[in-house]
Amino acid sequence: MRILMGLIAGLVFGAGLVVSGMSDPAKVLNFLDIAGTWDPSLAFVMGGASITAFLGYRLVLRLPAPRLDRSFHLPRTRQIDRRLVLGAVLFGLGWGIGGFCPGPAWTALLLLAPGTLVFIPMMLLGLWLGPKLAARL
Amino acid sequence: MELDTITPFTPIASLIGGILIGLSAIIVMAVFGRIAGVSGITGTVLNAVGTPDRGKTDLGWRVAFIAGLIAAPLGYAATTGIGVSQTVPGSLIGMAVAGGIVGIGTSIGSGCTSGHGVCGLARLSLRSLVAVLIFMASAMLTVFVLRHVV
């Protein structure tokens, strides 16, 4: 059941990325290019997604527990620290170069573009190295 | 970086896609009680493999979630009959660098467009709002420099 629900959630998420156009780096880079070939579509993706989740969370978080776990696991950190700022700066830099954030990179995998096939292993390496680097910050 | 790849403005499709992403975030919260952050889900799987934590961390649904992301374009093409089109930047060195810093950045910053962007904003987290504003600004500045300055 957990596996099935995980798969369904991933499929719905991925379908959203494809339908919205966010799985296309050209569209993402044009969203980021306000001074050039600007395509504001992604504001509708972010807006639609966060407003939907905001409304859904309000209902879901009233439940005593999630369906398949004993309790909710919400992030407890509130601190705006060096790691958060540095991490966001770096992530933005990479996003601006490649046009991929982690979700769209996964949905692009089977389309087998050479750029994707280089991006994903490096992203995995970065995600693996990150916690080791963060421990020194 | 390819200049002038014009992409059409698609507010309706993008809004519908965004709502689907929001629904997925609701499913993950309602079922597992977790944030649907792709960098977090991927990083948790990666960093549990080969460590003593492996037995403690519930990897099954996370791996299935990633499999769903990967399979989604096939499902989309099969249902609609429309192939998924995309233009990926051609510079392999650029993409390698981009991938590496996206991985490191989302890992030390504890989230990406989905974790901080969609889920964090939905929880009205100030920390996530700060992260989103910073990575948006950083990404826009990067694109500006690469497309209009260099």
Side-chain angles (χ1 to χ4, degrees):
Chain A
M1 191 61 186
R2 297 178 72 84
I3 304 268
L4 179 67
M5 289 311 295
L7 183 68
I8 291 172
L11 279 170
V12 173
F13 199 111
L17 290 172
V18 173
V19 170
S20 67
M22 199 158 176
S23 57
D24 182 1
K27 203 163 173 70
V28 173
L29 292 173
N30 279 341
F31 170 69
L32 297 170
D33 190 10
I34 297 184
T37 48
W38 193 42
D39 174 359
S41 306
L42 292 207
F44 289 76
V45 187
M46 289 294 286
S50 41
I51 291 168
T52 304
F54 170 75
L55 296 174
Y57 281 1
R58 287 181 68 105
L59 297 175
V60 166
L61 293 173
R62 271 187 218 158
L63 301 171
R67 201 80 186 83
L68 298 179
D69 205 320
R70 280 189 218 118
S71 60
F72 290 101
H73 306 270
L74 299 175
R76 264 167 274 156
T77 324
R78 299 247 160 145
Q79 231 178 339
I80 293 157
D81 53 10
R82 210 184 332 172
R83 288 185 198 178
L84 183 82
V85 174
L86 182 65
V89 168
L90 286 175
F91 166 45
L93 183 64
W95 195 31
I97 296 172
F100 273 140
C101 48
W106 279 126
T107 62
L109 179 62
L110 292 184
L111 303 174
L112 303 176
T116 310
L117 299 181
V118 173
F119 185 96
I120 292 182
M122 289 299 289
M123 176 181 85
L124 297 179
L125 180 65
L127 282 170
W128 179 77
L129 274 176
K132 293 155 190 71
L133 294 172
R136 298 176 174 213
L137 287 173
Chain B
M1 302 250 323
E2 52 272 40
L3 279 166
D4 302 327
T5 315
I6 293 171
T7 51
F9 178 48
T10 53
I12 308 279
S14 289
L15 188 64
I16 294 171
I19 292 171
L20 286 172
I21 294 169
L23 285 176
S24 171
I26 298 170
I27 295 172
V28 172
M29 186 59 77
V31 176
F32 303 108
R34 301 259 175 199
I35 296 291
V38 179
S39 61
I41 290 172
T42 308
T44 302
V45 172
L46 269 179
N47 288 294
V49 171
T51 68
D53 289 347
R54 195 176 165 181
K56 286 186 242 156
T57 317
D58 182 10
L59 297 183
W61 75 266
R62 293 184 168 92
V63 172
F65 182 89
I66 296 169
L69 284 176
I70 296 173
L74 301 184
Y76 176 82
T79 355
T80 61
I82 306 166
V84 178
S85 71
Q86 58 166 203
T87 314
V88 179
S91 159
L92 296 187
I93 293 172
M95 291 307 278
V97 171
I101 49 186
V102 163
I104 291 173
T106 55
S107 163
I108 65 179
S110 310
C112 56
T113 343
S114 48
H116 281 311
V118 177
C119 303
L121 295 184
R123 290 176 59 234
L124 307 179
S125 155
L126 180 64
R127 187 174 136 87
S128 288
L129 177 63
V130 169
V132 171
L133 293 175
I134 294 174
F135 70 62
M136 284 283 180
S138 166
M140 284 177 172
L141 187 66
T142 303
V143 170
F144 183 80
V145 170
L146 290 175
R147 286 193 170 179
H148 304 288
V149 179
V150 178

